[in-house]
Amino acid sequence: AMEFVDSSIVEQIEMKMIRPSQFSIRDKFQRNDCDFETLVNSIREHGLLQPILIRPLEHGFEIVAGHRRFQACRTLRWRFITAKIRELSDKQTYEIQLTENIQRKSMDPIEEAEAFRRYVIDFGWGGVSELAKKIGKSEEYVSHHMQLLKLPEEIKNKIASNSLKVSQAIEIVQVPLDKQQKIASEVISNNLTVRQIRELKMALKEEETFNKII
């Protein structure tokens, strides 16, 4: 494999020349969350340890990575920020942002699933296997997450709030729609394992078949 040579230039860029990413996969952080406070204090104390990554636009620049750091420096009323400037395509920008957010675990499974769907389906940038390679996850990881989007809103909310694990939710995808809610509540109230969910599904199937015979 070719070694990646970082060809970006590091410069002091005027803050007002820089705008947030158009993709902003995850910029829903609250200014009052304690992580953000910590970041602001750390930058006030030690300066910006890692430059943000930006790409040139026709006018000014766009943030590729480091939205939180940028907002923190803005809070500190900085006029200039140390930034790496790199020529990147929309696709590369999206991949970098997605990877950064997955590594920082800043998205819930449904947000990840939606980000994957945008890449594969809305933008048509590549299939599941290509995306998986780019973000350093397995194909199964990506396709499982995308399958979660087929579930009804109420169940998706349960996944987003972590009441339902991805492995549990995947088992519910194949269940007929009218039974999904019922199984989801069973799974949550008894914290069923994947094996127990499969047994429950089998039991329901048999019950149906039995009722058809009668």
Side-chain angles (χ1 to χ4, degrees), residues 1 4 25 46 54 69 76 78 92 97 107 113-115 120 142 145 151 154 163 165 180 190 208 211-212:
F4 174 72
I25 289 178
H46 308 287
I54 58 179
R69 282 168 282 158
L76 295 167
W78 285 18
Q92 290 168 317
Q97 291 180 1
M107 295 187 284
E114 280 163 353
V120 175
V142 175
H145 275 69
L151 291 163
E154 293 144 87
S163 320
K165 294 193 201 80
Q180 285 180 344
N190 301 306
E208 258 173 41
N211 290 340
K212 277 188 193 126

Side-chain angles (χ1 to χ4, degrees), residues 8 19 40 45 81 104 125-126 167 175 203:
S8 36
R19 68 172 176 80
V40 172
E45 200 63 38
I81 189 168
R104 213 188 319 123
W125 278 331
S167 57
V175 174

Side-chain angles (χ1 to χ4, degrees), residues 44-200:
R44 185 187 286 120
E45 200 63 38
H46 308 287
L48 188 64
L49 299 177
Q50 193 191 5
I52 65 168
L53 177 62
I54 58 179
R55 63 175 179 158
L57 300 171
E58 214 173 318
H59 305 291
F61 301 91
E62 179 183 51
I63 301 174
V64 176
H67 281 86
R68 294 171 64 92
R69 282 168 282 158
F70 178 79
Q71 293 298 348
C73 295
R74 205 183 223 168
T75 305
L76 295 167
R77 303 204 185 293
W78 285 18
R79 276 195 50 222
F80 291 87
I81 189 168
T82 317
K84 278 184 168 191
I85 306 164
R86 197 186 296 166
E87 290 281 354
L88 292 162
S89 67
D90 285 355
K91 178 171 181 273
Q92 290 168 317
T93 299
Y94 195 87
E95 287 163 1
I96 290 170
Q97 291 180 1
L98 192 47
T99 308
E100 192 189 39
N101 278 291
I102 286 173
Q103 285 170 352
R104 213 188 319 123
K105 296 186 169 48
S106 58
M107 295 187 284
D108 68 55
I110 298 300
E111 287 172 323
E112 279 190 26
E114 280 163 353
F116 296 165
R117 188 203 60 215
R118 287 178 75 191
Y119 185 95
V120 175
I121 294 161
D122 304 357
F123 296 128
W125 278 331
V128 167
S129 53
E130 188 186 340
L131 173 58
K133 265 197 219 74
K134 294 281 193 221
I135 61 173
K137 291 283 183 189
S138 68
E139 285 183 38
E140 192 184 37
Y141 182 93
V142 175
S143 63
H144 274 178
H145 275 69
M146 285 173 71
Q147 282 176 34
L148 300 176
L149 296 174
K150 297 180 189 154
L151 291 163
E153 280 311 308
E154 293 144 87
I155 298 183
K156 284 197 284 200
N157 294 337
K158 295 275 194 293
I159 303 166
S161 65
N162 279 323
S163 320
L164 200 56
K165 294 193 201 80
V166 173
S167 57
Q168 293 171 321
I170 281 297
E171 290 300 322
I172 302 172
V173 176
Q174 292 89 14
V175 174
L177 264 175
D178 57 333
K179 299 266 191 313
Q180 285 180 344
Q181 228 28 79
K182 185 182 169 190
I183 288 201
S185 336
E186 280 287 312
V187 173
I188 293 167
S189 50
N190 301 306
N191 195 16
L192 301 179
T193 64
V194 167
R195 203 171 130 197
Q196 289 170 319
I197 301 171
R198 288 183 181 162
E199 283 164 8
L200 179 64

